[in-house]
Structures are given as C-alpha cells and as structure tokens.
Amino acid sequence: MSTSQLDGDENTGFPIPPDLAIEVLSPTDVQWRVVDKAFAYLNAGTPLVWVLDPRSKTVTVYRSENDMALLTREDTLTGEDVVPGFTCPVSQLFE
C-alpha cells in the first residue's frame, strides 16, 4: 500500500485495501474459496491479486472479475503499474 494513503492509527489497522494481494495455495485450500477471496480483494479496491499454486507451478493474475491470466513456468510475472519495474520468471518463484 502506498504510504500516501495512510492517515490512521497504525495500531488499529487501516480500512484501505492493499495495492497488491498475494495468496499462496496450500494443499488444504479449496479452489472456489481462493477465487472468492481474490474477488473479495478486487471488490474492496485491490487492483492486482496474484494466486500462486506450488503444485502446478502457476500464477493466476486477477485484475478484475473479468480480467484474469494464468501464467506458467514459461511466463514472466510483472508488477504492472502497481509495482513498477518488478519482473520475475514464474519458474523462479517455485525453485
């Protein structure tokens, strides 16, 4: 979250959604619940959500409920305009 958005008491939490949410699937996660959580972030105003799946070594990028992309080991994950300059090969995330 960019610090320019902060103006509350840091001990009570902030009602501002993060600029980027990252979820890493565990073996006990249920797929539809993870998708619901990603959509909840988006609906709260988070512009970019990454869901990393260690089993399939993929990253699902959510920009909206209608704009999603599945990245594989052959792709490169970028921070887009949320984390400018960030790039990482997906394969490197699962080494």
Side-chain angles (χ1 to χ4, degrees):
M1 158 182 332
S2 55
T3 56
S4 65
Q5 297 177 359
L6 304 178
D7 64 356
D9 178 359
E10 65 184 51
N11 295 316
T12 61
F14 298 97
I16 300 169
D19 293 332
L20 170 65
I22 303 170
E23 290 288 323
V24 179
L25 295 178
S26 71
T28 59
D29 278 326
V30 177
Q31 184 68 29
W32 67 266
R33 286 189 179 147
V34 174
V35 171
D36 280 353
K37 192 171 186 180
F39 286 171
Y41 276 117
L42 294 170
N43 290 330
T46 299
L48 188 61
V49 180
W50 297 341
V51 177
L52 285 70
D53 185 344
R55 283 190 318 208
S56 64
K57 295 182 171 49
T58 60
V59 178
T60 304
V61 178
Y62 294 85
R63 295 175 202 90
S64 74
E65 290 187 16
N66 299 315
D67 186 3
M68 299 163 271
L70 180 67
L71 305 180
T72 68
R73 291 172 269 216
E74 314 302 318
D75 298 313
T76 298
L77 182 63
T78 68
E80 302 178 15
D81 59 342
V82 176
V83 187
F86 174 84
T87 64
C88 180
V90 170
S91 60
Q92 200 170 36
L93 296 171
F94 301 105
E95 290 180 348

